Amino acid sequence: MKSQRPSFFPVAVLAGLGLVAAIIAVYWLAPNRLVQVHPSSMHWNGADFVDIEFEQNETNPIVQVDLLEKSEMYKKNPADRIVTRALPVSPNTPAGKVQFNGLSDKGHAASPGVYTIHLKTAQGPSDLKAKNKAVETVMGYSSKIFYFHVGSAMVFLICFIGCALLSVAYLLLRRNKAYRMMAINADYIAYAMAEIGVVFSFVVLITGPIWAKPNWGVFWTWEPRLLLTLLTSFLFIGYLVLRNYAGSDDSGRRMSAGVAVIGLPAAYFIHMAVELWGGNHPKVLTGGGLHGSDISTTFSIAVSAIFLYASYLISLRVRTHRLQDAVEELFLDLSELEDRQ
Amino acid sequence: MRGLQSIWLVLKKDVVVELRNREVVATMVLFSILLVVIVAFSLSIDETRARLVGSGIVWIVVLFAGTLGLGRVFEREKENGCLTGLLLSPAGPGAIFIAKVLGLFVFMLITEAITIPLAFVFIGMSIPTEGIWILVLALLLGTIAFAFVGTLFAAMFANARLKDVLLPVVVYPVVSPVLIAGVKLTEISMGVGLESDLEGWLRLMAAFSVLFTAVPTWIFGKVMLD
C-alpha cells in the first residue's frame, strides 16, 4: 500500500529551500531602491504637488506641457491621447518648470499612477524629454514585495487557465469509456488548481495594496488588473463553493467544470473591458522594467520558488481529494456489508 | 426546423403560464421600481448627480431585476423531475436551453420597457433623441448576454442548496464586462461620456454577446446530461 502512494517529501523540501533562498535573495540581493527608467513619464503617487522640470529650447521654446493619463492604452495612436492636464509654460524662462497638482482639466482628482509627459512648442510636439525627480524616488523598500506579488499573480493566472482547460478536457472525455480515468484525474487536478489559485489570488490581493499605499497613495484603486484579479477570484470562489455543496459525484464535477469553462472567456472579456475602462498598472515585465542582473536573479529565484511551492500544494491537494473519495467509497462498501449481515 | 418548433413550444408554455399568473414580470417590475426609489434616496439624487450616476442606476436595475427573474427560470421545472423530463424529450438540450433563455429575455425586456422610462422620469434624467438607439442597442445586447449566461447557471444550480447565494456570486463576475460596457454606452447615449469611445464599447458588447450565446449553449448539454 505504501509504495503505491507517491511521496512528495523531496518536493516539499525543495520548495521550502527555494522559498528560504527567495527570501534571502529579496533581502540581500535585490536593490533597496528601484529606479524606473521611463524618460518621458512621471509616476504620480497622489502627493499634493509634483514639479516637472525640463531643458528649455532657446530657438524653439516650449510653451506647454501635456500630462497624459492612461498612457499605455493610447500609445498606438498619439492623436487619441487624453490630455489630463495642459500646463502652460512661459517661453522666456531659460529652464522650464511646471507644477502638477493632481487635478485633471475638468477639476476631478487624477488617479495616482504613470503619466506620460509631452512637451509642446508653438509649432507642435517637441523632441525634448522632461526630467522628473519623482521617477527615481518612488520605489524604496516597498518595491521588494514585487518579487512575491508578481510570482503569485503568475501562479494564480496559470492555475485559472489550467483549471479551465482541464475542465474542458473533463467535459469532453468523461463519457468516453477508454478515457474515463483520465478525465477524472484531469478533474482532480482542476479542483486542486482552483483551490491553490484562490489562495494565491489572496496573496496577490493582499501584497498589492501593501505596495500600492506608499507608491500610489491609496490601498485600492479601480484599476484594470486589480479588477481582473478580484473578479476572477470571485469566479474561482464560486467554483469552490459549488464544488463543496454539490459534492464530488459526477453531477458536482460537471457543474463546477461548467463554471470553470465559462470562466476563461469571461476572464478574457473582463480583461478587455477593464483595459478599455482605463488603467495605470506598472508594467514592469512587459514594459522593460527589469534592469540589472540583481533584480532579474532575485526575480527568477522568487518565481521558481513560488512555482515549486504551488505545484507541491496542488499535488498535495490532489492526493487529499483522492483519499477523501476513497474513504467515502469504503464507507459505502462498509454500510453495504453491514446491510447484508 | 424541428429544433425551432421545440423552442417555440417550450417558449409558448412559459409565456402562457406567465400570462395566466403574471408572477415573474410583476415581481420584477415591482422590485425594479422599488430599487430605483431606494437608490435615488440613498444617493440623495438631484439633477447634477443624476447626470453622473443615472446610467449606473439603469444597469443596477437591469442586473438585479434579471437576477430575480433568473431564480424563477427553472423554479417550475423542479417539481416532479420536470427538468429531467424536458431534457429526456426528443427536443434536445440545446432547444430547451434556447427556449428558456428567450423566455427570460422576453420577461426582462418587458420589465426594462416599463421600468427604465419610469426611472428616467423619477430620477430626472434626460436623453437626446439621437442617443436613444444607443441605449436600446446596449440594453438589447446586454440583456441577451445576461440571459444566456444567467440561464446556464440557473440550470446548473437548480438543485443546489444555497442557490440564491451562489447564482449572483458566479453570474456577476462573468457579466461584469457587459455591465461596464453598458454603463459606458448609456453615459454616451446621455451625452455624458466620451463620444469617441462609442465604437470600442459597442464592439466589446457585441463580441461578448456573440461568444456568450455560443459557449453556454454548448456547455448546457455537456453539463446537464449524464
Side-chain angles (χ1 to χ4, degrees):
Chain A
M1 189 68 198
K2 207 178 179 186
S3 60
Q4 284 174 353
R5 221 179 290 149
S7 168
F8 295 125
F9 188 66
V11 190
V13 171
L14 218 59
L17 285 179
L19 281 182
V20 171
I23 290 167
I24 292 172
V26 168
Y27 190 79
W28 293 102
L29 194 60
N32 294 339
R33 223 176 56 142
L34 196 65
V35 181
Q36 265 200 323
V37 187
H38 225 299
S40 61
S41 77
M42 70 160 224
H43 200 291
W44 183 59
N45 66 356
D48 288 344
F49 293 102
V50 179
D51 289 329
I52 300 157
E53 288 175 34
F54 50 92
E55 301 277 347
Q56 194 47 294
N57 191 336
E58 277 168 31
T59 52
N60 195 8
I62 284 156
V63 293
Q64 189 180 316
V65 178
D66 283 348
L67 281 174
L68 309 158
E69 208 178 352
K70 303 176 176 176
S71 50
E72 293 298 331
M73 182 182 136
Y74 290 97
K75 218 177 229 166
K76 286 175 202 152
N77 187 5
D80 283 349
R81 288 174 180 238
I82 293 177
V83 178
T84 306
R85 195 79 196 269
L87 303 157
V89 180
S90 157
N92 303 324
T93 48
K97 187 176 170 184
V98 287
Q99 209 172 40
F100 171 52
N101 68 0
L103 289 179
S104 74
D105 264 355
K106 287 171 190 159
H108 306 305
S111 48
V114 177
Y115 287 76
T116 306
I117 301 169
H118 265 217
L119 304 178
K120 267 189 190 161
T121 65
Q123 272 79 44
S126 162
D127 299 332
L128 290 176
K129 303 287 185 198
K131 45 174 185 178
N132 192 279
K133 288 174 195 150
V135 176
E136 294 177 16
T137 48
V138 192
M139 310 267 249
Y141 279 95
S142 64
S143 71
K144 292 195 172 195
I145 210 166
F146 148 86
Y147 302 101
F148 294 108
H149 179 75
V150 175
S152 309
M154 285 168 148
V155 168
F156 160 63
L157 273 183
I158 290 173
C159 279
F160 189 46
I161 294 169
C163 174
L165 294 181
L166 288 169
S167 300
V168 173
Y170 172 74
L171 285 181
L172 286 178
L173 294 179
R174 74 187 167 85
R175 278 200 230 163
N176 190 325
K177 280 235 168 68
Y179 297 109
R180 172 113 189 111
M181 268 330 281
M182 204 202 251
I184 289 177
N185 281 336
D187 182 68
Y188 273 128
I189 300 173
Y191 185 14
M193 275 188 152
E195 285 179 321
I196 304 307
V198 166
V199 171
F200 276 92
S201 79
F202 286 157
V203 173
V204 173
L205 287 172
I206 290 166
T207 53
I210 293 176
W211 176 88
K213 184 64 185 169
N215 288 293
W216 287 351
V218 284
F219 281 113
W220 181 267
T221 158
W222 293 98
E223 197 268 346
R225 287 205 198 175
L226 275 68
L227 276 178
L228 176 66
T229 314
L230 187 71
L231 290 175
T232 39
S233 65
F234 271 135
L235 269 176
F236 255 142
I237 291 169
Y239 175 98
L240 291 184
V241 173
L242 181 63
R243 192 72 195 235
N244 269 342
Y245 282 102
S248 60
D249 59 339
D250 197 50
S251 82
R253 286 201 180 116
R254 272 185 344 237
M255 307 284 166
S256 41
V259 173
V261 174
I262 284 279
L264 193 61
Y268 178 70
F269 270 102
I270 296 172
H271 169 75
M272 285 215 304
V274 291
E275 279 291 317
L276 205 58
W277 195 50
N280 53 23
H281 207 88
K283 294 208 166 48
V284 181
L285 289 184
T286 50
L290 279 181
H291 297 282
S293 56
D294 290 351
I295 296 179
S296 41
T297 314
T298 314
F299 182 69
S300 22
I301 293 175
V303 168
S304 352
I306 291 172
F307 270 60
L308 206 59
Y309 183 54
S311 37
Y312 165 63
L313 287 179
I314 290 173
S315 37
L316 213 59
R317 287 308 289 173
V318 170
R319 188 168 70 178
T320 311
H321 296 316
R322 279 230 179 87
L323 287 177
Q324 259 172 7
D325 284 359
V327 168
E328 236 167 71
E329 251 171 59
L330 285 178
F331 263 117
L332 285 180
D333 290 350
L334 193 67
S335 57
E336 217 171 277
L337 274 180
E338 277 171 353
D339 285 348
R340 250 187 248 164
Q341 275 171 2
Chain B
M1 213 52 238
R2 250 198 92 129
L4 282 181
Q5 206 183 1
S6 336
I7 293 175
W8 170 242
L9 283 175
V10 178
L11 179 62
K12 201 171 95 181
K13 180 212 92 176
D14 277 357
V15 172
V16 166
V17 173
E18 180 57 29
L19 281 178
R20 298 257 164 86
N21 61 14
R22 294 183 194 84
E23 249 177 18
V24 180
V25 173
T27 41
M28 275 162 82
V29 168
L30 243 166
F31 178 71
S32 312
I33 295 173
L34 267 176
L35 205 60
V36 171
V37 173
I38 286 171
V39 172
F41 272 138
S42 53
L43 295 176
S44 25
I45 211 107
D46 55 23
E47 253 170 55
T48 43
R49 229 175 266 184
R51 269 178 73 79
L52 293 175
V53 300
S55 55
I57 296 176
V58 168
W59 283 87
I60 288 178
V61 167
V62 170
L63 215 59
F64 282 15
T67 313
L68 201 68
L70 270 190
R72 314 299 307 233
V73 175
F74 287 101
E75 197 66 27
R76 286 193 202 97
E77 258 65 66
K78 266 169 70 180
E79 284 164 34
N80 301 328
C82 179
L83 185 55
T84 322
L86 266 179
L87 286 172
L88 287 176
S89 73
I96 306 284
F97 178 66
I98 290 178
K100 282 289 174 190
V101 170
L102 286 180
L104 179 66
F105 179 65
V106 169
F107 296 156
M108 278 179 77
L109 274 192
I110 296 170
T111 312
E112 283 163 17
I114 299 171
T115 324
I116 289 174
L118 270 178
F120 270 79
V121 174
F122 272 156
I123 301 174
M125 294 184 289
S126 60
I127 183 167
T129 28
E130 66 266 22
I132 289 179
W133 72 269
I134 304 178
L135 179 64
V136 171
L137 194 61
L139 283 174
L140 277 178
L141 286 174
T143 310
I144 197 90
F146 181 86
F148 267 93
V149 174
T151 307
L152 173 68
F153 288 126
M156 280 163 53
F157 297 156
N159 292 315
R161 278 191 295 150
L162 287 190
K163 181 189 79 187
D164 299 329
V165 188
L166 271 176
L167 211 49
V169 167
V170 179
V171 173
Y172 288 169
V174 174
V175 298
S176 60
V178 169
L179 178 70
I180 296 173
V183 169
K184 287 289 170 188
L185 283 172
T186 312
E187 269 176 13
I188 293 171
S189 77
M190 284 160 60
V192 185
L194 281 173
E195 195 85 37
S196 58
D197 287 348
L198 173 66
E199 203 191 318
W201 289 119
L202 267 184
R203 207 181 291 158
L204 181 85
M205 196 86 153
F208 188 94
S209 306
V210 169
L211 189 70
F212 278 85
T213 47
V215 177
T217 315
W218 176 74
I219 289 182
F220 184 78
K222 293 264 165 222
V223 167
M224 296 310 290
L225 296 180
D226 259 323

